[in-house]
Amino acid sequence: MKELVVISGKGGAGKTSITASLVVLAGKSVIVDADVDAADMHLVLPLKETCKFPFEAGFAAVLDTSKCTECGYCREVCQFSAINEKYEIDHILCEGCGVCAHFCPSGAISMQLKTCGDWFVSETPFGTMMHARLFPGEESSGLLVSRLRQEARARAEAGAIDLCITDGPPGIGCPVIASITGASLVLAVAEPTISGIHDVKRVKELAGFFRIPVVLCINKSGLNPEIETEFRKWAAVNKVPVVGEIPYDSDVTAAMMAGKTIVQHSGGKPSRAISLLWEELKASLELGGV
Amino acid sequence: MKIAVASGKGGTGKTTVALALASSFEGEIIYLDCDVEEPNAHLFLNPEVEKAETVYSFVPLVNESKCTLCGKCDDICRFSSIVIMGRKLVTYPAMCHGCRGCELVCPEKAITAGKRELGTIAQGRSGNINLLTGRLRIGEAMSPPLIKHLKSLIPESAKHIISDAPPGASCPMVATVRDADFVLLVTEPTPFGINDLSIAFEALREMNLPCGLIINRSMPGNRTAHEFAEKNNIRILLEIPDDRAIAEGYSRGALITETRPELKSGFISVFKKIGEIISAGREAYP
């Protein structure tokens, strides 16, 4: 089974729009929406939810005021300043490490398992999709992404499906690391802007850190030809194959507004460019380095 | 006035708005680029770097000659970053949250403070803007400790602060906005934009933070963002038109107030409106 993960470093580069179109072109794959903070693929891929599971991860400290003697030791050992002078625990600051509970001389603090979100298995016309919703402000998003990918792999194997397509989260932190570790190929989507090139360099470094091959797709091409030239030079020097180029075109927003993938919405320039991109990706997945 | 700029989703124009606000402000202002995974503000401001430092987090350092393999550190660690395997104590520094439980619990004092690099922080100036920017080390998973450190560098005398939040609504975003006086939400009127806006808004409501909305890439006749704002009683503070010239300016690193100078007065009025909302009190707004 091959795993293609689409990331961009930066948000708004067009990751989800492109990934959803790739899912349609692939026809049959297991799909993961790994942007557990703000899943969006369901807005363009029709889906029917089949299962919903709570996502339990980590612990929260809970203080029993009837047992607390206000000795202050918990405040002393807490490295996260999560307990204030009134002995209230700030659950945003609490890391759930349990050090306060361990050292509390009166046993007033206990650690309780937290439900941080839900994860779902849904059916789309193009395959089963794993997605999730982390509750606002929660942590452990990396763990949730790992859970989704694990389930996706299990389903791919059970259904003899040889491709998994993942829409990754923005950034380079824990959810992104959890999205790409062990993947076959990373497709970096970048827009030709100074921030786009800055962020894609960080993505390339990250993938290199985990020894995962990276290919590049330039989205919104035509916006700034100078930066595109710079992009191509950088890609050549760093041996990152440029496997696609999608023009800056109002078709992309129109498809999104219509709640459809680009390739289903029109046969215009962006749609044709994504079809070419898909052909290149198929070759990259089957051939070298993967 | 501490204003945080957030959006849930990336690419909606958070940095564009935060920069336009900071550059429209008359007087000293601190700009905190809390999007430490992909900091971008410096690309537009080109500040002269005045100070740079590396930030570290605690990780356990084990003195094997003192360790008796009692297992107390393994028991207290909830992040599996210190584990007894066979006859050896193994540490996984990347997974350590720095709670120091292992160090505190070790009866032999075999554990001392080691360090893991979280990233770097740089400080520089560009006109009236004092930029503080964090940059997460490649391969480092946890950004909130670096964001917290970045915030600790704000001088106490600072009166006006703009924080550019990371995308999403989970811990890095919360670490940025939690002590703001006001959160400015930026959205684009597309289904993606509204979906993510509603998630970010829900997070802010849970934290009881006052907020207002700026609609970016506003299109004539499109009322989706207005409808969301009305339904949730959020005040719309500004609309920025959907304009290819702005996108091209952004691609070169130009501020929106340079590409479209006539929008500057709008950003100046945003400060005034925020001031009004803050003085009207938190009760009046969700």
Side-chain angles (χ1 to χ4, degrees):
Chain A
M1 207 263 297
K2 297 284 171 73
E3 274 187 273
L4 171 68
V5 183
V6 185
I7 59 174
S8 66
K10 194 182 170 317
K15 225 173 347 71
T16 304
S17 297
I18 292 173
T19 312
S21 286
L22 294 176
V23 162
V24 173
L25 295 170
K28 188 82 188 161
S29 60
V30 177
I31 309 147
V32 179
D33 189 345
D35 194 355
V36 297
D37 247 28
D40 274 338
M41 276 237 275
H42 64 277
L43 297 173
V44 285
L45 283 177
L47 50 83
K48 209 172 80 198
E49 193 182 304
T50 52
C51 304
K52 176 180 170 181
F53 306 92
F55 171 62
E56 291 179 326
F59 292 84
V62 178
L63 190 142
D64 179 349
T65 45
S66 69
K67 286 186 187 165
C68 175
T69 62
E70 304 196 351
C71 71
Y73 197 52
C74 56
R75 291 174 31 85
E76 214 174 288
V77 294
C78 176
Q79 300 297 311
F80 310 106
S81 317
I83 307 168
N84 69 15
E85 277 153 21
K86 292 186 222 151
Y87 293 89
E88 292 157 343
I89 296 171
D90 183 330
H91 286 285
I92 290 173
L93 291 177
C94 175
E95 290 270 323
C97 67
V99 169
C100 55
H102 181 91
F103 286 104
C104 174
S106 41
I109 304 177
S110 58
M111 299 305 292
Q112 291 178 7
L113 192 63
K114 272 197 306 188
T115 303
C116 301
D118 294 309
W119 64 277
F120 310 86
V121 181
S122 295
E123 288 307 321
T124 80
F126 314 99
T128 306
M129 191 203 285
M130 313 290 146
H131 53 119
R133 169 117 202 239
L134 199 65
F135 295 153
E138 281 299 345
E139 50 187 312
S140 304
S141 55
L143 207 60
L144 181 51
V145 170
S146 299
R147 167 69 59 82
L148 294 181
R149 288 186 66 209
Q150 238 168 29
E151 292 291 329
R153 270 186 225 121
R155 273 157 217 270
E157 273 164 34
I161 294 163
D162 53 14
L163 180 65
C164 177
I165 300 178
T166 299
D167 184 17
I172 59 161
C174 79
V176 183
I177 291 173
S179 299
I180 67 167
T181 44
S184 318
L185 183 69
V186 162
L187 170 66
V189 174
E191 50 177 26
T193 64
I194 55 160
S195 42
I197 194 159
H198 171 264
D199 296 347
V200 91
K201 284 177 183 169
R202 308 246 300 156
V203 162
K204 161 77 172 85
E205 265 188 76
L206 182 72
F209 189 88
F210 292 102
R211 298 202 180 96
I212 299 158
V214 191
V215 292
L216 179 67
C217 168
I218 301 174
N219 192 20
K220 306 182 192 172
S221 95
L223 198 59
N224 188 326
E226 264 170 56
I227 291 179
E228 275 169 57
T229 309
E230 196 187 325
F231 245 128
R232 288 181 186 282
K233 275 189 201 152
W234 171 82
V237 170
N238 290 280
K239 300 190 172 63
V240 181
V242 180
V243 294
E245 188 177 321
I246 299 158
Y248 184 88
D249 195 294
S250 56
D251 260 14
V252 177
T253 314
M256 193 197 289
M257 299 303 282
K260 283 185 182 159
T261 63
I262 300 163
V263 290
Q264 286 172 302
H265 185 251
S266 87
K269 280 184 198 161
S271 171
R272 293 200 297 274
I274 294 173
S275 299
L276 290 175
L277 166 69
W278 172 237
E279 292 306 318
E280 291 287 331
L281 286 172
K282 271 201 291 193
S284 302
L285 281 164
E286 276 156 23
L287 301 171
V290 179
Chain B
M1 192 150 56
K2 278 195 230 167
I3 303 172
V5 183
S7 72
K9 187 179 175 311
T12 42
K14 258 186 323 289
T15 304
T16 304
V17 163
L19 286 169
L21 272 177
S23 63
S24 308
F25 189 75
E26 284 175 15
E28 282 288 298
I29 196 154
I30 291 189
Y31 189 111
L32 229 53
D33 192 348
C34 293
D35 190 357
V36 300
E37 294 185 40
E38 302 296 0
N40 284 151
H42 66 284
L43 300 171
F44 296 84
L45 294 173
N46 298 308
E48 252 177 63
V49 176
E50 291 166 351
K51 225 162 85 186
E53 59 170 316
T54 305
V55 180
Y56 300 93
S57 147
F58 165 94
V59 293
L61 199 63
V62 180
N63 181 339
E64 283 186 49
S65 65
K66 285 186 181 173
C67 175
T68 61
L69 295 173
C70 71
K72 289 203 163 87
C73 54
D74 185 337
D75 288 345
I76 200 169
C77 181
R78 286 174 183 261
F79 309 108
S80 310
S81 63
I82 188 160
V83 181
I84 291 178
M85 284 175 123
R87 300 285 304 152
K88 201 172 160 49
L89 190 61
V90 182
T91 61
Y92 297 97
M95 291 159 84
C96 176
H97 285 223
C99 73
R100 302 182 97 119
C102 53
E103 182 193 21
L104 287 164
V105 84
C106 177
E108 313 302 334
K109 304 225 176 322
I111 297 172
T112 51
K115 56 189 189 179
R116 175 181 89 223
E117 186 190 329
L118 292 171
T120 54
I121 280 177
Q123 191 167 357
R125 176 168 283 281
S126 168
N128 65 320
I129 303 169
N130 189 358
L131 175 70
L132 280 165
T133 184
R135 174 178 293 261
L136 194 70
R137 176 180 59 82
I138 301 284
E140 169 60 41
M142 294 166 211
S143 62
L146 186 61
I147 296 171
K148 280 178 204 164
H149 193 93
L150 188 65
K151 289 169 86 170
S152 76
L153 296 179
I154 302 173
E156 265 185 44
S157 58
K159 284 202 185 77
H160 303 288
I161 301 150
I162 289 183
S163 308
D164 187 355
S170 68
C171 43
M173 179 270 208
V174 169
T176 303
V177 307
R178 66 184 310 273
D179 52 5
D181 297 319
F182 187 85
V183 182
L184 194 52
L185 287 164
V186 182
T187 192
E188 50 180 16
T190 64
F192 284 21
I194 303 299
N195 179 61
D196 300 342
L197 170 66
S198 69
I199 296 171
F201 177 66
E202 208 180 304
L204 298 182
R205 196 155 50 179
E206 266 178 39
M207 285 184 272
N208 199 23
L209 285 169
C211 62
L213 187 64
I214 287 188
I215 305 173
N216 192 19
R217 300 193 193 106
S218 168
M219 294 169 244
N222 181 329
R223 305 283 306 164
T224 47
H226 300 83
E227 282 159 17
F228 181 88
E230 267 162 39
K231 203 174 105 195
N232 294 287
N233 191 24
I234 312 172
R235 192 159 152 196
I236 296 170
L237 305 179
L238 187 67
E239 289 186 50
I240 302 167
D242 186 27
D243 179 359
R244 185 170 172 132
I246 294 174
E248 285 177 356
Y250 173 85
S251 81
R252 298 190 300 270
L255 300 179
I256 199 169
T257 43
E258 291 164 1
T259 317
R260 296 281 300 265
E262 73 277 14
L263 292 173
K264 192 167 173 172
S265 60
F267 286 102
I268 295 171
S269 77
V270 168
F271 276 107
K272 200 172 148 245
K273 291 175 190 168
I274 291 176
E276 285 166 18
I277 295 177
I278 293 174
S279 53
R282 290 183 169 214
E283 283 71 33
Y285 293 88

